[in-house]
Amino acid sequence: MIDVKQTLNDAEERMEMAAMFLDEQLARVRAGRANVAILDGVKVNSYGMMVPLNQVANVSVPDPRTIAIKPWDKKAIRDIEKAIMDSDVGITPENNGEVIRLNIPQPTEERRRDLVKQCNKIGEKAKVEIRNVRGDIKDKLKKAIKDGLSEDNEKDAELDLQKLHDKYIKRLDDLLEAKTKEIMTV
């Protein structure tokens, strides 16, 4: 017989992972404001190994439209520039020999709409994952009736599962709404 509480906790954990995934993915979307998270995927060749950018340089945001990257080893400046150019960041770095600057351009209205669509697609993937979790757990609960779980307990567990589902879908909607507002604000 299954442990209903443990099953619901597993479901909540999986739904939480979907929400965290969405949060991370939305942080990487450029919204016209400088955000160091857009550089999270950049790997730099440092002494023969590919390492994250933040392990070879100090990354900061001196103003809302600029990201400053100050390498700890001045010899790494070329490797950092190359890594940024090769990545999907889409911004050309400028360097003065000591600091690399990324100037974030103001997105056009059309570009902002495209970014909102991109965010909504990512959000829909996360929602589908949450719905899949709900479906998996519902199936487990239905099978558990055959193993001796009472129908009342199964119905209560399904209600709790639906509440969890609704809570996380609302959370994803709130994350998407906040990101949409950030993108569309000029």
Side-chain angles (χ1 to χ4, degrees):
M1 192 155 108
I2 68 167
D3 181 1
V4 175
K5 275 191 172 165
Q6 183 59 45
T7 305
L8 289 174
N9 285 343
D10 291 347
E12 184 168 17
E13 197 173 298
R14 287 173 60 192
M15 290 179 185
E16 179 65 33
M17 294 296 274
M20 286 169 40
F21 165 79
L22 178 64
D23 202 22
E24 285 175 19
Q25 293 300 311
L26 291 180
R28 291 184 180 169
V29 174
R30 266 198 302 152
R33 242 180 238 110
N35 180 356
V36 296
I38 66 172
L39 298 173
D40 282 353
V42 177
K43 300 272 191 237
V44 179
N45 185 359
S46 177
Y47 300 107
M49 290 178 58
M50 297 305 280
V51 295
L53 176 63
N54 62 5
Q55 291 185 6
V56 295
N58 183 26
V59 183
S60 62
V61 181
D63 65 70
R65 295 248 168 258
T66 309
I67 297 175
I69 304 161
K70 186 167 175 52
W72 294 320
D73 180 4
K74 297 226 184 327
K75 294 175 191 152
I77 208 159
R78 291 267 178 256
D79 292 331
I80 292 172
E81 266 189 322
K82 184 178 182 327
I84 293 169
M85 293 294 279
D86 293 346
S87 73
D88 61 353
V89 173
I91 302 172
T92 306
E94 302 168 8
N95 97 53
N96 63 7
E98 288 188 19
V99 177
I100 298 172
R101 295 195 185 286
L102 299 178
N103 291 316
I104 312 293
Q106 181 73 29
T108 62
E109 182 71 24
E110 184 180 336
R111 175 70 179 137
R112 285 198 296 271
R113 283 197 194 106
D114 290 344
L115 288 171
V116 169
K117 284 180 188 172
Q118 180 184 345
C119 290
N120 287 336
K121 280 182 185 173
I122 297 168
E124 196 51 45
K125 281 183 186 173
K127 287 180 181 180
V128 165
E129 177 57 29
I130 286 178
R131 290 182 194 119
N132 288 343
V133 170
R134 180 184 60 181
D136 292 349
I137 301 301
K138 267 188 171 179
D139 291 345
K140 272 187 184 178
L141 292 171
K142 295 269 187 242
K143 288 177 185 167
I145 290 177
K146 293 175 186 145
D147 296 337
L149 182 70
S150 73
E151 284 189 29
D152 288 344
N153 286 349
E154 188 266 344
K155 288 290 179 210
D156 291 344
E158 263 191 46
L159 280 172
D160 291 343
L161 180 64
Q162 186 61 42
K163 286 177 188 169
L164 270 179
H165 169 270
D166 295 344
K167 172 182 147 187
Y168 277 96
I169 291 292
K170 172 147 180 33
R171 185 164 157 201
L172 295 186
D173 287 339
D174 292 345
L175 285 170
L176 284 168
E177 188 179 320
K179 188 65 176 185
T180 299
K181 187 176 176 188
E182 179 187 335
I183 290 171
M184 294 310 281
T185 302
V186 178

PDB file of all heavy atoms in Angstrom, residues 2 11 19 28-29 35-36 59-60 63 69 78 120 126 145 172-174 182:
ATOM      1  N   ILE A   2       0.465   2.278  -0.724  1.00  0.00           N
ATOM      2  CA  ILE A   2       1.301   3.476  -0.819  1.00  0.00           C
ATOM      3  C   ILE A   2       1.055   4.417   0.358  1.00  0.00           C
ATOM      4  O   ILE A   2      -0.016   4.425   0.951  1.00  0.00           O
ATOM      5  CB  ILE A   2       1.069   4.241  -2.146  1.00  0.00           C
ATOM      6  CG1 ILE A   2      -0.324   4.871  -2.210  1.00  0.00           C
ATOM      7  CG2 ILE A   2       1.312   3.362  -3.328  1.00  0.00           C
ATOM      8  CD1 ILE A   2      -0.471   5.859  -3.335  1.00  0.00           C
ATOM      9  N   ALA A  11       5.078  14.692  -5.183  1.00  0.00           N
ATOM     10  CA  ALA A  11       4.440  15.506  -6.217  1.00  0.00           C
ATOM     11  C   ALA A  11       4.791  16.974  -6.024  1.00  0.00           C
ATOM     12  O   ALA A  11       5.132  17.674  -6.985  1.00  0.00           O
ATOM     13  CB  ALA A  11       2.921  15.316  -6.176  1.00  0.00           C
ATOM     14  N   ALA A  19       8.781  24.845 -11.064  1.00  0.00           N
ATOM     15  CA  ALA A  19       8.733  26.284 -10.788  1.00  0.00           C
ATOM     16  C   ALA A  19      10.146  26.871 -10.754  1.00  0.00           C
ATOM     17  O   ALA A  19      10.389  27.964 -11.282  1.00  0.00           O
ATOM     18  CB  ALA A  19       8.007  26.551  -9.473  1.00  0.00           C
ATOM     19  N   ARG A  28      17.280  34.206 -17.433  1.00  0.00           N
ATOM     20  CA  ARG A  28      18.232  34.267 -18.549  1.00  0.00           C
ATOM     21  C   ARG A  28      17.721  35.061 -19.740  1.00  0.00           C
ATOM     22  O   ARG A  28      18.482  35.365 -20.645  1.00  0.00           O
ATOM     23  CB  ARG A  28      18.583  32.856 -19.002  1.00  0.00           C
ATOM     24  CG  ARG A  28      19.392  32.124 -17.964  1.00  0.00           C
ATOM     25  CD  ARG A  28      19.814  30.786 -18.462  1.00  0.00           C
ATOM     26  NE  ARG A  28      20.590  30.122 -17.431  1.00  0.00           N
ATOM     27  CZ  ARG A  28      20.942  28.871 -17.462  1.00  0.00           C
ATOM     28  NH1 ARG A  28      20.587  28.134 -18.483  1.00  0.00           N
ATOM     29  NH2 ARG A  28      21.635  28.340 -16.491  1.00  0.00           N
ATOM     30  N   VAL A  29      16.436  35.362 -19.745  1.00  0.00           N
ATOM     31  CA  VAL A  29      15.868  36.117 -20.870  1.00  0.00           C
ATOM     32  C   VAL A  29      16.221  37.590 -20.695  1.00  0.00           C
ATOM     33  O   VAL A  29      15.980  38.177 -19.647  1.00  0.00           O
ATOM     34  CB  VAL A  29      14.325  35.934 -20.933  1.00  0.00           C
ATOM     35  CG1 VAL A  29      13.719  36.821 -21.989  1.00  0.00           C
ATOM     36  CG2 VAL A  29      13.988  34.480 -21.196  1.00  0.00           C
ATOM     37  N   ASN A  35      21.437  42.246 -16.474  1.00  0.00           N
ATOM     38  CA  ASN A  35      21.195  41.186 -15.508  1.00  0.00           C
ATOM     39  C   ASN A  35      22.303  40.152 -15.688  1.00  0.00           C
ATOM     40  O   ASN A  35      22.453  39.599 -16.776  1.00  0.00           O
ATOM     41  CB  ASN A  35      19.824  40.564 -15.781  1.00  0.00           C
ATOM     42  CG  ASN A  35      19.484  39.445 -14.830  1.00  0.00           C
ATOM     43  OD1 ASN A  35      20.293  39.047 -13.989  1.00  0.00           O
ATOM     44  ND2 ASN A  35      18.283  38.923 -14.964  1.00  0.00           N
ATOM     45  N   VAL A  36      23.085  39.906 -14.651  1.00  0.00           N
ATOM     46  CA  VAL A  36      24.222  38.991 -14.778  1.00  0.00           C
ATOM     47  C   VAL A  36      23.785  37.560 -15.085  1.00  0.00           C
ATOM     48  O   VAL A  36      24.596  36.765 -15.565  1.00  0.00           O
ATOM     49  CB  VAL A  36      25.134  39.020 -13.526  1.00  0.00           C
ATOM     50  CG1 VAL A  36      25.769  40.374 -13.354  1.00  0.00           C
ATOM     51  CG2 VAL A  36      24.387  38.607 -12.284  1.00  0.00           C
ATOM     52  N   VAL A  59      31.802  39.729 -12.127  1.00  0.00           N
ATOM     53  CA  VAL A  59      30.745  40.224 -13.005  1.00  0.00           C
ATOM     54  C   VAL A  59      29.845  41.141 -12.190  1.00  0.00           C
ATOM     55  O   VAL A  59      29.326  40.749 -11.156  1.00  0.00           O
ATOM     56  CB  VAL A  59      29.926  39.049 -13.591  1.00  0.00           C
ATOM     57  CG1 VAL A  59      28.870  39.566 -14.561  1.00  0.00           C
ATOM     58  CG2 VAL A  59      30.834  38.049 -14.286  1.00  0.00           C
ATOM     59  N   SER A  60      29.677  42.392 -12.665  1.00  0.00           N
ATOM     60  CA  SER A  60      28.859  43.352 -11.916  1.00  0.00           C
ATOM     61  C   SER A  60      27.990  44.167 -12.858  1.00  0.00           C
ATOM     62  O   SER A  60      28.176  44.154 -14.070  1.00  0.00           O
ATOM     63  CB  SER A  60      29.759  44.281 -11.094  1.00  0.00           C
ATOM     64  OG  SER A  60      30.596  45.019 -11.954  1.00  0.00           O
ATOM     65  N   ASP A  63      25.458  50.025 -13.982  1.00  0.00           N
ATOM     66  CA  ASP A  63      24.248  50.814 -14.257  1.00  0.00           C
ATOM     67  C   ASP A  63      23.236  49.921 -14.978  1.00  0.00           C
ATOM     68  O   ASP A  63      23.581  48.832 -15.417  1.00  0.00           O
ATOM     69  CB  ASP A  63      24.585  52.086 -15.059  1.00  0.00           C
ATOM     70  CG  ASP A  63      25.102  51.799 -16.449  1.00  0.00           C
ATOM     71  OD1 ASP A  63      24.309  51.353 -17.296  1.00  0.00           O
ATOM     72  OD2 ASP A  63      26.307  52.028 -16.697  1.00  0.00           O
ATOM     73  N   ILE A  69      32.672  43.189 -16.676  1.00  0.00           N
ATOM     74  CA  ILE A  69      33.350  41.936 -16.364  1.00  0.00           C
ATOM     75  C   ILE A  69      34.825  42.257 -16.164  1.00  0.00           C
ATOM     76  O   ILE A  69      35.503  42.684 -17.100  1.00  0.00           O
ATOM     77  CB  ILE A  69      33.175  40.917 -17.506  1.00  0.00           C
ATOM     78  CG1 ILE A  69      31.693  40.701 -17.787  1.00  0.00           C
ATOM     79  CG2 ILE A  69      33.881  39.610 -17.173  1.00  0.00           C
ATOM     80  CD1 ILE A  69      31.404  40.093 -19.135  1.00  0.00           C
ATOM     81  N   ARG A  78      41.039  38.015 -23.448  1.00  0.00           N
ATOM     82  CA  ARG A  78      40.736  37.552 -24.815  1.00  0.00           C
ATOM     83  C   ARG A  78      39.838  36.306 -24.780  1.00  0.00           C
ATOM     84  O   ARG A  78      38.897  36.192 -25.556  1.00  0.00           O
ATOM     85  CB  ARG A  78      42.030  37.231 -25.568  1.00  0.00           C
ATOM     86  CG  ARG A  78      42.853  38.452 -25.886  1.00  0.00           C
ATOM     87  CD  ARG A  78      42.494  38.976 -27.276  1.00  0.00           C
ATOM     88  NE  ARG A  78      43.246  40.186 -27.582  1.00  0.00           N
ATOM     89  CZ  ARG A  78      42.742  41.398 -27.550  1.00  0.00           C
ATOM     90  NH1 ARG A  78      41.486  41.578 -27.206  1.00  0.00           N
ATOM     91  NH2 ARG A  78      43.462  42.440 -27.856  1.00  0.00           N
ATOM     92  N   ASN A 120       6.492  32.890 -22.527  1.00  0.00           N
ATOM     93  CA  ASN A 120       5.254  32.114 -22.423  1.00  0.00           C
ATOM     94  C   ASN A 120       5.464  30.662 -22.853  1.00  0.00           C
ATOM     95  O   ASN A 120       4.863  29.753 -22.278  1.00  0.00           O
ATOM     96  CB  ASN A 120       4.141  32.770 -23.225  1.00  0.00           C
ATOM     97  CG  ASN A 120       3.636  34.031 -22.556  1.00  0.00           C
ATOM     98  OD1 ASN A 120       3.752  34.201 -21.356  1.00  0.00           O
ATOM     99  ND2 ASN A 120       3.092  34.944 -23.345  1.00  0.00           N
ATOM    100  N   ALA A 126       6.767  24.422 -18.383  1.00  0.00           N
ATOM    101  CA  ALA A 126       6.730  24.192 -16.936  1.00  0.00           C
ATOM    102  C   ALA A 126       5.324  23.773 -16.498  1.00  0.00           C
ATOM    103  O   ALA A 126       5.168  22.877 -15.662  1.00  0.00           O
ATOM    104  CB  ALA A 126       7.180  25.444 -16.184  1.00  0.00           C
ATOM    105  N   ILE A 145      -5.922   2.021  -5.029  1.00  0.00           N
ATOM    106  CA  ILE A 145      -7.245   1.532  -4.590  1.00  0.00           C
ATOM    107  C   ILE A 145      -7.268   0.008  -4.705  1.00  0.00           C
ATOM    108  O   ILE A 145      -7.768  -0.683  -3.819  1.00  0.00           O
ATOM    109  CB  ILE A 145      -8.380   2.170  -5.430  1.00  0.00           C
ATOM    110  CG1 ILE A 145      -8.502   3.647  -5.087  1.00  0.00           C
ATOM    111  CG2 ILE A 145      -9.703   1.462  -5.183  1.00  0.00           C
ATOM    112  CD1 ILE A 145      -9.537   4.389  -5.888  1.00  0.00           C
ATOM    113  N   LEU A 172       3.404  29.869 -11.256  1.00  0.00           N
ATOM    114  CA  LEU A 172       4.010  30.029 -12.581  1.00  0.00           C
ATOM    115  C   LEU A 172       3.404  31.227 -13.301  1.00  0.00           C
ATOM    116  O   LEU A 172       4.124  32.001 -13.938  1.00  0.00           O
ATOM    117  CB  LEU A 172       3.806  28.757 -13.418  1.00  0.00           C
ATOM    118  CG  LEU A 172       4.487  27.480 -12.941  1.00  0.00           C
ATOM    119  CD1 LEU A 172       4.309  26.372 -13.952  1.00  0.00           C
ATOM    120  CD2 LEU A 172       5.948  27.678 -12.638  1.00  0.00           C
ATOM    121  N   ASP A 173       2.071  31.377 -13.192  1.00  0.00           N
ATOM    122  CA  ASP A 173       1.420  32.525 -13.822  1.00  0.00           C
ATOM    123  C   ASP A 173       1.950  33.836 -13.249  1.00  0.00           C
ATOM    124  O   ASP A 173       2.179  34.803 -13.989  1.00  0.00           O
ATOM    125  CB  ASP A 173      -0.099  32.451 -13.646  1.00  0.00           C
ATOM    126  CG  ASP A 173      -0.736  31.388 -14.530  1.00  0.00           C
ATOM    127  OD1 ASP A 173      -0.110  30.999 -15.540  1.00  0.00           O
ATOM    128  OD2 ASP A 173      -1.854  30.940 -14.211  1.00  0.00           O
ATOM    129  N   ASP A 174       2.171  33.877 -11.923  1.00  0.00           N
ATOM    130  CA  ASP A 174       2.705  35.088 -11.291  1.00  0.00           C
ATOM    131  C   ASP A 174       4.123  35.391 -11.783  1.00  0.00           C
ATOM    132  O   ASP A 174       4.463  36.543 -12.053  1.00  0.00           O
ATOM    133  CB  ASP A 174       2.699  34.950  -9.763  1.00  0.00           C
ATOM    134  CG  ASP A 174       1.284  34.919  -9.182  1.00  0.00           C
ATOM    135  OD1 ASP A 174       0.334  35.281  -9.909  1.00  0.00           O
ATOM    136  OD2 ASP A 174       1.142  34.517  -8.009  1.00  0.00           O
ATOM    137  N   GLU A 182       8.144  43.235 -16.646  1.00  0.00           N
ATOM    138  CA  GLU A 182       9.539  43.719 -16.727  1.00  0.00           C
ATOM    139  C   GLU A 182       9.946  43.935 -18.178  1.00  0.00           C
ATOM    140  O   GLU A 182      10.579  44.942 -18.503  1.00  0.00           O
ATOM    141  CB  GLU A 182      10.461  42.683 -16.067  1.00  0.00           C
ATOM    142  CG  GLU A 182      11.928  43.055 -16.111  1.00  0.00           C
ATOM    143  CD  GLU A 182      12.835  41.943 -15.613  1.00  0.00           C
ATOM    144  OE1 GLU A 182      12.385  41.092 -14.826  1.00  0.00           O
ATOM    145  OE2 GLU A 182      14.000  41.934 -16.027  1.00  0.00           O
TER     146      GLU A 182
END
